[in-house]
Structures are given as C-alpha cells and as structure tokens.
Amino acid sequence: MDTQPPSFFRLTAEGVEVSVRLTPKSSKDAVEGVAETADGRCHLKARVRAVPEDGKANKALEKLLAKWLGMPTRDVSLVTGATSRLKTLYIAGDPQALAQRLLSARQEKV
C-alpha cells in the first residue's frame, strides 16, 4: 500500500491552510523547512525577529510567508493559534501553484 507522507498544508477551494511552528524573538526572519512532531504531524518551521506582544510576531509571520511565496501580504492571514507557537495560516491563491511552492520547503531553507 502506497501512503502519502504527512503534510504541513491542506488544500482548500481558494487557497491552502498551512501549519507553522513560529519562533519569535529570533536573530533573523526565516523559513527553515519542514519538521515533524513526535505524534507524526508536520509543520513549517519559521522564525521572526518580532516579539510576541500585541500580535507583532503574527504580523511578521504573515509578511514573511507572503514574501517567501512572492505574493501580497493581504493574501496571508492567521486562522488559529494567535497565542500559541503552533499556528494555522490561510494563504489565498491558486491551490495547486501554492502546493508546489510549499512542497519545495522540504528541500530548502529560506
């Protein structure tokens, strides 16, 4: 039986939902690839310089993912996890094109 590896994103009708583990107060803003938790769930690893106060780190994450994907910041929004390290973000756009770009995160660090 051929099974797909766990994924850190899910296609929707008009975009994708991405699971992200955010590290705030970092020395740099970066997307660092994909990691898997002990229970088998995957997430995109990201770090931002912003502090986790008043939503600053969440806004910095939205900007970072938009820049990384080459799209406007308005197309990236936080769905869940405002006060947690594990977050879900919605990215509006062509689901298939976004999926291709997100899959490249398994091989690269940005």
Side-chain angles (χ1 to χ4, degrees), residues 1-101:
M1 184 170 127
D2 186 18
T3 60
Q4 291 280 54
S7 182
F8 61 98
F9 66 92
R10 173 176 86 76
L11 299 179
T12 67
E14 297 177 4
V16 294
E17 287 186 350
V18 182
S19 296
V20 178
R21 183 178 192 284
L22 178 64
T23 303
K25 296 193 302 186
S26 177
S27 61
K28 62 180 180 176
D29 293 340
V31 175
E32 298 185 323
V34 178
E36 190 171 338
T37 59
D39 63 2
R41 292 182 294 161
C42 287
H43 56 268
L44 191 63
K45 295 188 308 181
R47 51 181 68 245
V48 296
R49 290 185 294 248
V51 295
E53 296 171 1
D54 302 321
K56 292 176 184 171
N58 292 332
K59 288 294 180 195
L61 175 61
E62 291 172 353
K63 287 180 184 177
L64 174 65
L65 285 185
K67 181 179 177 186
W68 181 62
L69 292 167
M71 57 193 329
T73 305
R74 69 176 178 268
D75 291 342
V76 181
S77 57
L78 183 70
V79 177
T80 63
T83 59
S84 170
R85 284 185 185 260
L86 291 174
K87 303 176 181 297
T88 302
L89 284 96
Y90 176 74
I91 303 171
D94 176 27
Q96 296 303 322
L98 290 168
Q100 289 302 314
R101 179 64 182 114

